[in-house]
Amino acid sequence: MTMNDALLPDPKESGLTPAEIRQGLKTSLLGRGRIDYFPAIDSTNLHARRIADEGAPEGSIVVADAQHAGKGRRGRTWFSPPGRGIYLSIVLRPRIPPAEAPRLVLTAAVAAAEALLAQAALPLSVKWPNDILIGGKKAAGILMEMRLAGERISHVVIGLGVNVNTPAEEMPPEIRPIATSLCVATGRTFSRVALLRSLLEQLEQWYGLLQMGHFERIRKRWLELARIVGRRVTIAGVDCTYAGEVVDIDPTGFLILKSPDGTAQRILAGDVSMIDTPYPPPGPKAPGNSS
Ligand code: BTN
C-alpha cells in the first residue's frame, strides 16, 4: 500500500447527497430547504447566484463533488478535484445594510474555522479577511458575492472551499508550497459530510449572532483566531499595496492599518503577507462560540 492509498477516502464514507447531508443535521435554516447537489459542476457559486436571482430562499445550499471552474477571490481559480474537498455555496439574505457586508466576511471565516477546529486540534489561523490556514498553508477559502437591490442587500452567496482529503502529490505543483489539506496536516482522512454539516451548523450560529446585532462577539473571536493585531504586514489591494502595523478590525469589519508615517488607513480586502516573525501556532482551543 502506498502513502497515497493510505490517504484515499474510505469507500464506505458517505457522499454529499441531500439525504446524506440532512442526516443528523442540527440547523433550522441552512440546508433545511433547497439543496442542489451535483456530482460535478462549473462552480457552485455560479449556480447559487443563479438560483438566488430566481428567488431561492435564504438557507438554500449548492454542493458539488467536483468543480471544473471553481472560482477563488480576485479572479483566481479554486482547485476542486472530485471527491477530495468540500465545494459549498450558501444563499443568505441578511438584514444588514450593504456597508456592513464586511462583517459577514469575518463571520463566515469564524464559522469555517470553528467547524475545522471541531474536527481536530489543528494549528489553525485565519488570514485576513477569510483564508483558513493550517500550519501557515491555506486549507480553506471563502468567496463572498453580493447582489444589491437599490439600497439593500438582495442576497449574498457564501462560497466555501475546503481541501479535506487531498494528498499533497495530487495538488498542482504551483499551489503545493502554499496549500494544504486536513489530511496532509493530520495524516488521516476526514468525513466530508460530517465536516459539511458542521460548517452549516457553525455558520448558522455565527450568522444568527450577526443578525441579532452581536458583531462584537464575532470580531473578538476573529481577532483571537487571526492573531494579527500588532503585526507588520503588507497588503496587496486591487490597485496598490499597503504596508504597516495592524491596529484593529473596526466595527464595520475593515482592517485598520497604521502606516509607517503614522497615518491610519481603513482597508476592505486584499492579500496579506506577514513581514514580521509569526507568533507561535495557537494551542488547541475548544470551539469558542456558545451562542
Ligand atoms: C479563495 O480563497 O480564493 C476563495 C475560494 C472559494 C472556493 C469556493 S469552492 C465553493 C465555491 N464555488 C466556487 O466557485 N468558489 C467557492
Side-chain angles (χ1 to χ4, degrees):
M1 183 190 275
T2 65
M3 176 67 178
N4 200 5
D5 292 335
L7 292 177
L8 281 173
D10 180 347
K12 296 189 294 304
E13 207 256 276
S14 308
L16 298 176
T17 62
E20 287 162 313
I21 292 169
R22 288 201 182 99
Q23 214 168 59
L25 177 66
K26 296 189 222 53
T27 59
S28 50
L29 177 67
L30 305 192
R32 279 291 149 209
R34 180 167 177 178
I35 300 182
D36 287 7
Y37 163 77
F38 300 89
I41 193 173
D42 47 3
S43 152
T44 56
N45 259 42
L46 275 179
H47 183 80
R49 280 169 49 187
R50 229 163 7 235
I51 66 169
D53 280 337
E54 289 162 7
E58 176 162 71
S60 301
I61 67 169
V62 182
V63 181
D65 259 312
Q67 298 184 117
H68 46 85
K71 295 198 304 167
R73 287 175 45 235
R74 297 160 65 85
R76 297 186 187 118
T77 54
W78 185 257
F79 175 59
S80 312
R84 296 299 204 195
I86 288 179
Y87 319 115
L88 165 69
S89 298
I90 301 156
V91 176
L92 296 178
R93 299 190 182 272
R95 300 180 302 274
I96 57 171
E100 288 179 10
R103 291 180 168 189
L104 197 49
V105 176
L106 303 187
T107 305
V110 168
E114 296 290 15
L116 297 192
L117 285 172
Q119 308 299 306
L122 299 161
L124 173 152
S125 63
V126 172
K127 183 175 156 195
W128 188 79
N130 54 8
D131 288 348
I132 309 291
L133 309 185
I134 299 177
K137 290 182 164 190
K138 185 155 165 174
I142 299 170
L143 175 67
M144 193 178 105
E145 300 184 283
M146 176 165 73
R147 167 85 71 212
L148 298 180
E151 300 283 283
R152 59 175 192 85
I153 296 176
S154 159
H155 65 256
V156 165
V157 167
I158 298 202
L160 262 159
V162 186
N163 302 330
V164 184
N165 294 323
T166 325
E169 58 272 25
E170 281 186 17
M171 293 181 189
E174 63 276 15
I175 67 166
R176 235 176 265 168
I178 51 167
T180 189
S181 67
L182 297 191
C183 92
V184 169
T186 60
R188 68 175 177 93
T189 56
F190 287 79
S191 158
R192 287 182 306 145
V193 73
L195 175 57
L196 193 140
R197 282 189 212 109
S198 182
L199 286 165
L200 295 174
E201 289 161 6
Q202 288 290 339
L203 185 60
E204 181 161 305
Q205 287 185 26
W206 289 97
Y207 178 60
L209 285 177
L210 180 73
Q211 293 273 63
M212 288 184 295
H214 299 303
F215 177 66
E216 186 48 30
R217 281 185 55 188
I218 299 161
R219 193 182 78 95
K220 231 178 109 205
R221 185 61 181 135
W222 187 92
L223 286 168
E224 282 170 9
L225 290 162
R227 298 179 307 282
I228 196 176
V229 168
R231 296 184 64 179
R232 287 185 305 124
V233 300
T234 55
I235 298 177
V238 180
D239 308 314
C240 61
T241 298
Y242 308 89
E245 181 187 317
V246 177
V247 179
D248 206 353
I249 294 291
D250 81 2
T252 34
F254 281 72
L255 187 86
I256 310 292
L257 198 66
K258 191 170 81 188
S259 306
D261 66 5
T263 55
Q265 303 192 66
R266 287 175 82 228
I267 300 171
L268 174 56
D271 283 321
V272 179
S273 316
M274 303 295 177
I275 55 177
D276 57 357
T277 326
Y279 283 58
K285 180 179 189 314
N289 74 331
S290 49
S291 55

